[in-house]
Amino acid sequence: MKLRIWLPALIGIILFLMFVSYIFLYIIPGMKNIAFQELLERTKVELQIATKIVDDYYRRYKSGELSKQRAMEMAISEIEKLRYGYENRDYFWIVNLNGELIAHPYYTSLKNKPLEEINDPVARSTISEIVEAAKNGETFVEYRWYVYETKLVEEKISAIEVFKPWDWIIGTGVYEYYMKNRFKELTSTIFRFTITFFVGSFILLGILIFFTGKAEAERKEMVLRIENERKQLETLVLSLPQPVALKNSQLKYIYINDAFSMFAGKVRGEIIGYKDSEIFKEKDYIEKSIKADEKALKTGNSVYFEYCVNFSGENKWYGEWRIPVVGETEKFKSIICIINEITKYRKETILWQEKAELDELTKLANRTFLKRLLKEFDEVKFLTGKKLAVLMADLDGFKKVNDTYGHLIGDKVLEIVAKRLKESVRKDTILIRYGGDEFLIIIPEIDKEEEALMVAKRIRENVNRAMKVEGKVLELGICIGISIYPDDGITLSKLIDQADKLLYEAKLRGKNQVGYKTIS
């Protein structure tokens, strides 16, 4: 009778402790590591955006549009204004390879000082560590730094990238305490519940042993109470806001929480025991999911992937981690699936990308945009059997305006020219500031080559009109080279090269000339 009373209770406690151990050893550490790695990856993406901005000013300097000093000053100013992250407080900084702090939004008193003249031990040590890490080719560096504008010093991890043309180290990072706070509440809740249940279980076990003569009905009641406590802990996991699931080695779901059920749009019975291909309709997601599962099981490493799903006409982005849980045999292998919605982050990334691809002066697209366009659409296969025209244009007399009246007047002239270009073309035309006073015009879907020539003449007429700038009346000309798809090339890069050659030939003939080869 005694064995029948206390043995089930003891087994229940052992099972509970195994379940708690599983939560603390796999689920919580896994979620913490994944979130931390995800934050570092996002930090690298933010750093790439900042580096693109610096590169854009460098290109403007190389094209002759800006002096080197002016380009550096404008790049530093824009980098110091950038903010992102929680409460929009995370920032970027720049240190050169000599150890001088070039840009920092909060500690301006340390800027442009040689390392040996910095009296602040924290700043001196940190800058030394950053320079050493950059010279060693590292992409992340750990150090201690002040928390925003305060004097509080905390551990920080920053992503860094060396911008070689100017010997700059560009970086941005996150404080470790930020990640700790995110998981503190969850861990604390589970810990308090575990301790309460653990103490309660021992009390219940003592009562069971003490009252060994109790009836069978009382024994069952005690066991049910223990089981109820275990289910409460399971409910805590089920109620996590993130979709969480567990798959077996056959890639069938064996456990899901409520958030995952809502994400899939199905009840528990329609998910447990089934594979992704039997639950979801999106082929792209199913393929990515299967590849991630197979790679995680094969390598024993966590796998991360992103995908877009359309819900009620709205595109939503998700990032998903697959964490392998290795058992003693193949039969006991499993995979933890954790999903995060990243729609806001993706939209912010696209917004910064658009900002990096826009010429600040003319509000036209810049060379960074053209580089992406060539990468994605070099082969003009998106056309529907129609022709395409590429126009390369260069202003006549712009250098004289710059030399005579200065860059401020020159900038205003470029703004006027950009506006007149927009007035001269269709809305679907792509306008790119190619260089200092060079412009690239891409006209899609034209029926006849003569349409391109008509656009070129309209551009020339609009640019030739006198401009009033700061009380001065200026007159400029413009030369244009025209290439046509597919006669002059079947790739966008080939069409640009051909238009550039025809522009050169046109300029040799004089001002306001148009060069073309295939137009009759």
Side-chain angles (χ1 to χ4, degrees):
M1 186 67 177
K2 292 181 180 179
L3 183 63
R4 291 178 62 191
I5 292 176
W6 63 262
L7 185 57
L10 183 59
I11 293 174
I13 291 176
I14 292 173
L15 290 175
F16 166 73
L17 292 177
M18 290 175 63
F19 184 74
V20 171
S21 299
Y22 182 78
I23 293 294
F24 276 89
L25 292 176
Y26 293 101
I27 298 295
I28 293 178
M31 291 175 65
K32 183 175 182 179
N33 291 335
I34 287 170
F36 187 68
Q37 289 298 323
E38 183 180 346
L39 188 59
L40 291 182
E41 288 300 319
R42 292 185 184 183
T43 302
K44 287 178 66 177
V45 172
E46 299 291 350
L47 179 60
Q48 290 172 3
I49 293 171
T51 305
K52 282 185 178 180
I53 292 173
V54 173
D55 184 64
D56 185 49
Y57 282 105
Y58 171 74
R59 291 178 182 277
R60 292 175 66 181
Y61 149 64
K62 293 295 290 183
S63 69
E65 177 187 345
L66 298 171
S67 67
K68 182 177 182 181
Q69 183 64 30
R70 180 59 177 161
M72 286 182 170
E73 290 174 355
M74 293 177 71
I76 289 170
S77 175
E78 188 158 353
I79 289 298
E80 289 184 332
K81 293 176 184 177
L82 291 181
R83 296 290 187 276
Y84 69 97
Y86 180 68
E87 294 183 346
N88 208 32
R89 299 180 69 189
D90 293 321
Y91 57 89
F92 298 85
W93 46 261
I94 300 175
V95 173
N96 66 22
L97 290 175
N98 294 325
E100 294 182 9
L101 184 64
I102 303 299
H104 198 290
Y106 296 135
Y107 292 92
T108 55
S109 61
L110 301 175
K111 289 172 58 176
N112 302 316
K113 284 186 178 182
L115 188 60
E116 58 272 12
E117 294 182 10
I118 297 178
N119 297 323
D120 188 321
V122 173
R124 187 168 59 250
S125 173
T126 294
I127 293 174
S128 298
E129 292 176 14
I130 291 171
V131 173
E132 183 179 356
K135 290 181 178 179
N136 291 334
E138 297 177 18
T139 56
F140 285 96
V141 59
E142 297 185 38
Y143 54 88
R144 293 175 61 80
W145 189 252
Y146 299 105
V147 179
Y148 305 115
E149 301 102 326
T150 71
K151 289 297 182 180
L152 179 65
V153 179
E154 290 284 354
E155 294 290 336
K156 190 174 185 180
I157 301 178
S158 283
I160 59 173
E161 183 172 342
V162 177
F163 186 71
K164 293 183 179 180
W166 288 341
D167 288 337
W168 281 3
I169 308 168
I170 308 170
T172 184
V174 293
Y175 294 96
E176 288 191 7
Y177 81 92
Y178 170 73
M179 284 302 302
K180 293 177 182 177
N181 288 340
R182 291 183 65 181
F183 285 90
K184 183 178 179 181
E185 183 177 350
L186 175 62
T187 306
S188 177
T189 301
I190 295 177
F191 180 75
R192 288 196 303 270
F193 182 84
T194 303
I195 293 299
T196 302
F197 180 79
F198 188 74
V199 173
S201 297
F202 271 96
I203 293 174
L204 290 174
L205 181 59
I207 294 173
L208 284 172
I209 295 174
F210 182 78
F211 294 101
T212 55
K214 292 289 184 180
E216 184 69 14
E218 291 179 334
R219 181 192 66 80
K220 289 182 178 180
E221 183 182 352
M222 294 294 182
V223 174
L224 287 173
R225 288 179 64 182
I226 294 174
E227 180 66 15
N228 186 52
E229 295 288 346
R230 185 190 66 79
K231 288 183 177 180
Q232 289 183 32
L233 180 61
E234 184 178 356
T235 301
L236 179 65
V237 178
L238 286 171
S239 63
L240 288 173
Q242 287 178 303
V244 178
L246 188 67
K247 293 181 179 180
N248 60 19
S249 57
Q250 285 76 44
L251 306 184
K252 293 182 178 181
Y253 288 96
I254 57 177
Y255 171 86
I256 63 170
N257 67 355
D258 293 339
F260 190 92
S261 179
M262 292 180 63
F263 167 77
K266 295 181 181 291
V267 298
R268 191 176 304 275
E270 296 175 308
I271 299 175
I272 299 298
Y274 294 96
K275 296 182 178 182
D276 285 323
S277 58
E278 300 169 315
I279 299 170
F280 300 100
K281 297 180 180 179
E282 294 81 4
K283 292 183 179 180
D284 180 58
Y285 169 73
I286 294 171
E287 291 177 1
K288 288 183 178 180
S289 178
I290 293 174
K291 288 182 180 179
D293 288 338
E294 292 175 346
K295 185 176 180 181
L297 288 175
K298 183 178 180 180
T299 63
N301 298 321
S302 298
V303 178
Y304 177 78
F305 64 97
E306 295 180 357
Y307 52 92
C308 181
V309 180
N310 188 285
F311 285 118
S312 302
E314 179 184 0
N315 288 331
K316 290 189 177 183
W317 280 91
Y318 293 90
E320 189 162 339
W321 283 95
R322 298 295 167 85
I323 314 163
V325 180
V326 181
E328 294 181 0
T329 64
E330 185 73 23
K331 181 179 178 180
F332 294 102
K333 283 186 177 181
S334 57
I335 300 174
I336 301 171
C337 311
I338 301 176
I339 303 173
N340 293 296
E341 184 180 347
I342 57 172
T343 304
K344 182 180 179 182
Y345 157 70
R346 288 295 296 243
K347 287 182 178 179
E348 288 178 351
T349 302
I350 292 172
L351 179 64
W352 281 109
Q353 184 182 53
E354 290 175 349
K355 180 178 176 63
E357 294 179 347
L358 188 70
D359 181 63
E360 185 179 357
L361 177 64
T362 63
K363 307 306 178 188
L364 303 180
N366 59 19
R367 291 289 286 270
T368 303
F369 170 80
L370 177 60
K371 185 178 180 181
R372 181 166 66 87
L373 190 67
L374 288 171
K375 182 179 179 181
E376 297 177 1
F377 298 114
D378 190 27
E379 294 186 12
V380 194
K381 56 188 176 185
F382 52 89
L383 297 175
T384 56
K386 292 193 175 184
K387 296 179 180 292
L388 174 143
V390 174
L391 283 64
M392 184 70 77
D394 184 78
L395 296 178
D396 296 326
F398 179 73
K399 185 177 184 303
K400 183 178 180 181
V401 171
N402 258 349
D403 293 342
T404 305
Y405 302 110
H407 287 287
L408 291 178
I409 297 295
D411 286 350
K412 291 189 177 183
V413 168
L414 291 175
E415 290 178 8
I416 295 172
V417 170
K419 183 178 179 182
R420 293 184 179 182
L421 287 176
K422 292 178 183 178
E423 296 171 350
S424 304
V425 299
R426 302 186 325 226
K427 289 185 178 180
D428 61 348
T429 301
I430 300 173
L431 293 170
I432 300 172
R433 186 181 179 192
Y434 194 75
D437 61 342
E438 281 188 295
F439 299 90
L440 181 65
I441 302 105
I442 302 174
I443 311 173
E445 297 190 358
I446 61 173
D447 296 318
K448 297 180 180 179
E449 295 91 334
E450 287 77 6
E451 291 182 33
L453 186 58
M454 290 174 62
V455 172
K457 291 179 178 178
R458 191 159 56 244
I459 290 173
R460 185 172 60 186
E461 289 172 0
N462 285 336
V463 172
N464 286 164
R465 297 200 321 264
M467 307 177 190
K468 293 183 179 180
V469 182
E470 300 290 338
K472 301 172 180 60
V473 178
L474 305 175
E475 293 184 354
L476 295 179
I478 189 168
C479 284
I480 303 172
I482 305 174
S483 62
I484 304 294
Y485 166 87
D487 305 294
D488 296 322
I490 60 172
T491 66
L492 194 56
S493 54
K494 177 65 177 177
L495 292 169
I496 293 172
D497 289 342
Q498 182 64 21
D500 195 42
K501 291 178 182 178
L502 293 169
L503 169 64
Y504 177 75
E505 293 175 4
K507 291 185 74 68
L508 291 177
R509 297 197 300 269
K511 295 182 179 181
N512 283 322
Q513 299 296 313
V514 177
Y516 47 86
K517 185 173 70 173
T518 60
I519 302 174
S520 58

